[in-house]
Amino acid sequence: MTSKTDEALGYEQARDELIEVVRRLEAGGTSLEESLALWERGEELAKVCRHWLEGARARLDAALAEETEGEGEGPKDGSPR
């Protein structure tokens, strides 16, 4: 489960930290315990990023739905488009 600290991370912060975690894992040279800790941290960061992206997708979908609903109607003030 993500911590309150992780939930406060912005998308870019979480993404950048995740990139660093992946870089360290790919570089090797860490103990098994360190590698597991890095993997777990990466999973948490991926969840944070996924949460942000799902929120962005929901906002886009809502905006597109609102736009689509309004296309069949004229402007509220009665003036032509």
Side-chain angles (χ1 to χ4, degrees), residues 29-46:
T30 56
S31 69
L32 177 59
E33 191 61 35
E34 289 172 310
S35 293
L36 286 172
L38 285 169
W39 179 269
E40 290 169 345
R41 181 64 181 152
E43 288 291 328
E44 292 296 318
L45 292 165

Side-chain angles (χ1 to χ4, degrees), residues 12-69:
E12 289 81 6
Q13 293 169 307
R15 181 203 58 211
D16 291 347
E17 188 178 342
L18 179 56
I19 290 168
E20 179 61 20
V21 165
V22 170
R23 186 196 65 72
R24 289 180 61 194
L25 284 168
E26 288 178 341
T30 56
S31 69
L32 177 59
E33 191 61 35
E34 289 172 310
S35 293
L36 286 172
L38 285 169
W39 179 269
E40 290 169 345
R41 181 64 181 152
E43 288 291 328
E44 292 296 318
L45 292 165
K47 286 179 189 176
V48 171
C49 289
R50 193 167 27 254
H51 174 77
W52 276 104
L53 292 172
E54 288 169 355
R57 169 54 67 191
R59 289 175 61 191
L60 285 170
D61 289 346
L64 288 172
E66 204 173 282
E67 183 178 301
T68 302
E69 289 173 4

